[in-house]
């Protein structure tokens, strides 16, 4: 017992997410769980994001925020188009700064931090599964490293299967994409429902002579996760049991510890790179139960004015009140005109358009009837936890897989991928709002996940097992560090 308490006192985890909104959310909820278990946490931002968060990134006695440069000038927008450049810059400039910082943290100091501030030397790294350099460097420095992928188990398995799909001839698709509804048989456990259009979006640009840089990087990082001490996934066995069962055979260990936002919620203000619009909740208070369509396409999705118009006309025809998140960078130069168009067409009493919303609070509000979403994994889990039916319009990456699970496996929503036409929008939104079957599935799933995260539930037990695993790694790491210091 005394040894376990000592390990809890000295275990110090450095967590390092990809500097994008969805990844930050998951990592901060995860860090909150570690803090509750008694561990110390250093949360590593990029300089750009830490400046953007400012005072919102408030620390606590066992949590501190540090940062490294991402290598891009501040005036370069961190949009979806810049992701490949950002990833490349992180693996060079960012990696060098990270190595220097981690070496100092391994010795127990960073900047002005000393043992007197209560932070022992770093004993374990939990790094984003996209950034393989982060755990490679940690292991080189003698710090045991764990990979944390913030996407679903199903999408992780799909990325892991890309080399096999190429070997089987299922990728690349025929010239022009062929029939996107053609079944895909090379992803284990998904043979009965997966289609070409449900694979990660970058697969569509794969040819015999060209591979999308982002797809190449993500597939390589996914395969490399086999070398990490373990893989952490923000999911639960009740949602993704079959995918997890296949991944257990591929990884050294797998921890399914979600939904993290429901298990260890961090304050929303501490995770958001955008300021929430405070009008949302008061506006919802004035609406009838389950009467509002909530629309948010996440932190990276961009749409054309034509797509915006089709969404708008379909929503007008559906005739429900609408709470619509339109980020300032979502529509480009036509944003202001589009906003005025939306309010004029729907009427200010029936529509509220905001730049960002406190999504977890919105989804649990009694007035929300369905969620039109990009099917990012955080958004999907947040809707699952609150039992809110979804209309899925995925944009890129893992979102295509997630939306297929919603529509074809869990049946707690409808998959509208690859279509943006007003008649389809109207019909799909109406069905999500009015279908007793969809709402019943969503409610049953929420009840099951509530059991998963409760004491004794599968996710709660997995998180407890993970904390024990980290403490064991930390104990060995601390002993080796002491030995090196003596030498």
């Amino acid at each position: 017992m005394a040894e376990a308490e000592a390990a809890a006192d000295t275990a110090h985890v450095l967590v390092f997410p990809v500097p994008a909104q969805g990844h930050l959310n998951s990592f901060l909820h995860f860090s909150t769980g570690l803090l509750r278990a008694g561990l110390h946490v250093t949360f590593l931002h990029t300089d750009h994001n830490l400046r953007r968060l400012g005072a919102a990134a408030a620390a606590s006695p066992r949590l501190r925020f540090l940062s490294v440069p991402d290598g891009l000038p501040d005036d370069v927008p961190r949009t979806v188009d810049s992701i490949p450049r950002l990833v490349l810059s992180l693996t060079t400039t960012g990696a060098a700064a990270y190595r220097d910082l981690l070496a100092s943290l391994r010795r127990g100091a960073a900047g002005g931090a000393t043992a007197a501030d209560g932070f022992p030397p770093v004993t374990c790294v939990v790094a984003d599964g996209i950034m393989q350099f982060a755990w490679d460097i940690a292991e080189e420095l003698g710090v045991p490293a764990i990979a944390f992928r913030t996407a679903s188990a199903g999408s992780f398995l799909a990325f892991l299967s890309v080399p096999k799909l190429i070997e089987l001839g299922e990728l690349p698709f025929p010239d022009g994409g062929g029939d996107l509804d053609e079944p895909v048989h090379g992803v284990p456990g998904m043979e009965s429902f997966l289609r070409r259009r449900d694979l990660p979006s970058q697969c569509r640009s794969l040819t015999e002579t060209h591979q999308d840089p982002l797809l190449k990087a993500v597939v390589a990082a996914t395969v490399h996760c086999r070398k990490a001490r373990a893989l952490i996934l923000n999911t639960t066995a009740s949602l993704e049991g079959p995918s997890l069962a296949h991944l257990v055979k591929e990884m050294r260990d797998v921890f399914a510890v979600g939904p993290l936002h429901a298990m260890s919620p961090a304050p929303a203000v501490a995770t958001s790179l955008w300021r929430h619009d405070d009008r949302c909740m008061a506006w919802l208070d004035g609406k009838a139960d389950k009467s509002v369509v909530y629309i948010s396409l996440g932190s990276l999705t961009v749409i054309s004015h034509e797509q915006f118009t089709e969404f708008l006309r379909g929503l007008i025809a559906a005739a429900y009140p609408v709470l619509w998140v339109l980020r300032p960078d979502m529509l480009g130069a036509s944003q202001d005109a589009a906003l005025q168009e939306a309010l004029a067409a729907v009427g200010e009493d029936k529509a509220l358009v905001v730049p960002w919303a406190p999504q977890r609070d919105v989804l649990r509000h009694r007035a929300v009837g369905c969620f039109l979403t990009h099917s990012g994994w955080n958004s999907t889990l947040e809707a699952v936890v609150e039992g809110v039916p979804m209309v899925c319009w995925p944009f890129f990456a893992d979102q295509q897989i997630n939306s297929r699970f919603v529509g074809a496996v869990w049946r707690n929503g409808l998959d509208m991928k690859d279509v943006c036409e007003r008649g389809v929008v109207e019909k799909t939104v109406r069905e999500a709002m009015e279908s007793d079957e969809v709402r019943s599935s969503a409610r049953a799933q929420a009840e099951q996940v509530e059991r998963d995260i409760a004491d004794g539930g599968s996710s709660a037990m997995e998180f407890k097992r993970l904390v024990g695993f980290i403490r064991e790694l930390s104990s060995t790491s601390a002993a080796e560090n002491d030995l090196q210091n003596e030498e």
Side-chain angles (χ1 to χ4, degrees), residues 341-352:
E341 179 185 0
L343 293 176
V346 181
E348 293 194 23
D349 62 323
K350 290 195 68 175
L352 178 64

Side-chain angles (χ1 to χ4, degrees), residues 296-336:
S296 177
L297 300 178
S299 60
L300 291 173
T301 302
V302 292
I303 60 175
S304 67
H305 191 272
E306 290 73 22
Q307 289 171 324
F308 169 79
T309 300
E310 291 301 309
F311 274 125
L312 177 60
R313 297 303 163 188
L315 291 164
I316 291 171
Y320 297 104
V322 174
L323 172 58
W324 198 338
V325 174
L326 280 176
R327 296 187 330 270
D329 60 347
M330 197 165 180
L331 271 165
S334 63
Q335 180 96 346
D336 290 342

Side-chain angles (χ1 to χ4, degrees), residues 323-462:
L323 172 58
W324 198 338
V325 174
L326 280 176
R327 296 187 330 270
D329 60 347
M330 197 165 180
L331 271 165
S334 63
Q335 180 96 346
D336 290 342
L339 174 57
Q340 295 306 315
E341 179 185 0
L343 293 176
V346 181
E348 293 194 23
D349 62 323
K350 290 195 68 175
L352 178 64
V353 182
V354 297
W356 201 245
Q359 183 160 287
R360 283 178 279 156
D361 292 335
V362 167
L363 288 172
R364 67 172 62 102
H365 197 284
R366 57 164 183 79
V368 173
C370 84
F371 180 18
L372 201 166
T373 172
H374 65 307
S375 297
W377 188 234
N378 288 333
S379 290
T380 300
L381 287 177
E382 287 164 6
V384 165
V385 166
E386 304 306 331
V388 177
M390 284 172 270
V391 172
C392 301
W393 194 72
F395 178 59
F396 83 134
D398 62 310
Q399 299 160 15
Q400 274 72 17
I401 285 273
N402 299 340
S403 65
R404 185 57 170 168
F405 271 87
V406 168
V409 180
W410 306 324
R411 302 189 183 280
N412 57 337
L414 303 163
D415 188 357
M416 199 174 66
K417 67 163 59 79
D418 297 326
V419 180
C420 190
E421 191 274 320
R422 64 191 69 187
V424 175
V425 172
E426 176 192 359
K427 178 179 180 295
T428 310
V429 166
R430 283 189 178 276
E431 185 174 352
M433 290 288 281
E434 299 172 8
S435 169
D436 290 337
E437 181 181 354
V438 170
R439 193 166 298 281
S440 176
S441 294
R443 186 168 53 249
Q445 202 167 61
E447 291 169 354
Q448 176 57 56
V449 169
E450 187 175 0
R451 291 190 288 272
D452 294 337
I453 64 176
D455 288 345
S458 64
S459 290
M461 295 299 291
E462 278 287 270

Side-chain angles (χ1 to χ4, degrees), residues 149 155-172 184-188 199-200 203 206 208 211 215-226 250-251:
R149 279 293 285 269
S155 67
F156 183 90
L157 183 58
F159 280 117
L160 189 67
S161 301
V162 165
K164 180 182 176 184
L165 292 173
I166 293 173
E167 181 183 327
L168 293 173
E170 299 215 41
L171 285 175
V184 173
H185 300 294
V187 183
L199 288 175
C203 290
L206 180 66
E208 296 289 351
Q211 188 164 330
L215 176 66
K216 185 176 181 179
V218 174
V219 169
T222 303
V223 172
H224 196 73
C225 282
R226 292 187 174 115
E250 300 282 348
M251 303 291 139

